[in-house]
Amino acid sequence: MAEGVKPRVKVPKKASAGETITIKTLISHQMESGQRKDDDGNVIPRSIINRFVVDFNGENVIDVQMEPAISTNPFFEFEATVPETGDFKFTWYDDDGSVYEETQTVTVG
């Protein structure tokens, strides 16, 4: 597990049925590309978040494959339509096999 990895998610707590909301996510991660060398000339192994998935009540909203050129601390902002009260589940997959998850509830009222 990479050190200092911390997912952050910003989702409105309330929405109207059918409303489009803006969701922002960020995960603190070094995102080592595997192309740099250390002071001794050895290649620093690749260590990136390689996939990001968001589901709403079990239905896929977004599924992103990430490559080594992505920046440190990847940030995503996207819109989603909320038809009913439910949970957004955010999942990040690390090259080292670690999985980071966060869940946020949106109440429709």
Side-chain angles (χ1 to χ4, degrees), residues 8-12 21-26 78 90 104:
R8 298 181 185 136
V9 175
K10 188 172 183 179
V11 177
I21 61 171
T22 300
I23 298 172
K24 298 177 182 178
T25 70
L26 181 142
F78 56 95
F90 304 86
Q104 295 282 320

Side-chain angles (χ1 to χ4, degrees), residues 95-107:
D95 274 350
D96 67 6
S98 300
V99 177
Y100 308 99
E101 295 179 334
E102 183 77 27
T103 301
Q104 295 282 320
T105 300
V106 176
T107 302

Side-chain angles (χ1 to χ4, degrees), residues 32-36 42-47:
E32 185 59 54
S33 69
Q35 298 176 358
R36 296 186 319 133
N42 301 315
V43 174
I44 300 171
R46 175 182 141 162
S47 175

Side-chain angles (χ1 to χ4, degrees), residues 5-41:
V5 177
K6 182 179 179 183
R8 298 181 185 136
V9 175
K10 188 172 183 179
V11 177
K13 295 190 182 309
K14 296 180 181 178
S16 302
E19 181 179 352
T20 300
I21 61 171
T22 300
I23 298 172
K24 298 177 182 178
T25 70
L26 181 142
I27 187 163
S28 302
H29 194 282
Q30 189 170 354
M31 302 295 277
E32 185 59 54
S33 69
Q35 298 176 358
R36 296 186 319 133
K37 294 182 179 178
D38 63 15
D39 293 338
D40 297 328

Side-chain angles (χ1 to χ4, degrees), residues 1 4 19 30 45 47 52 72 76 89 92 94 99 104:
M1 177 179 277
E19 181 179 352
Q30 189 170 354
S47 175
F52 173 57
T72 301
F76 287 93
K89 181 180 176 187
W92 294 263
D94 198 320
V99 177
Q104 295 282 320

Side-chain angles (χ1 to χ4, degrees), residues 29-73:
H29 194 282
Q30 189 170 354
M31 302 295 277
E32 185 59 54
S33 69
Q35 298 176 358
R36 296 186 319 133
K37 294 182 179 178
D38 63 15
D39 293 338
D40 297 328
N42 301 315
V43 174
I44 300 171
R46 175 182 141 162
S47 175
I48 66 169
I49 299 291
N50 57 50
R51 185 175 177 209
F52 173 57
V53 177
V54 179
D55 294 325
F56 180 73
N57 288 343
E59 185 175 331
N60 185 257
V61 175
I62 187 171
D63 188 342
V64 179
Q65 300 291 325
M66 293 186 260
E67 300 295 331
I70 197 161
S71 69
T72 301
N73 306 326

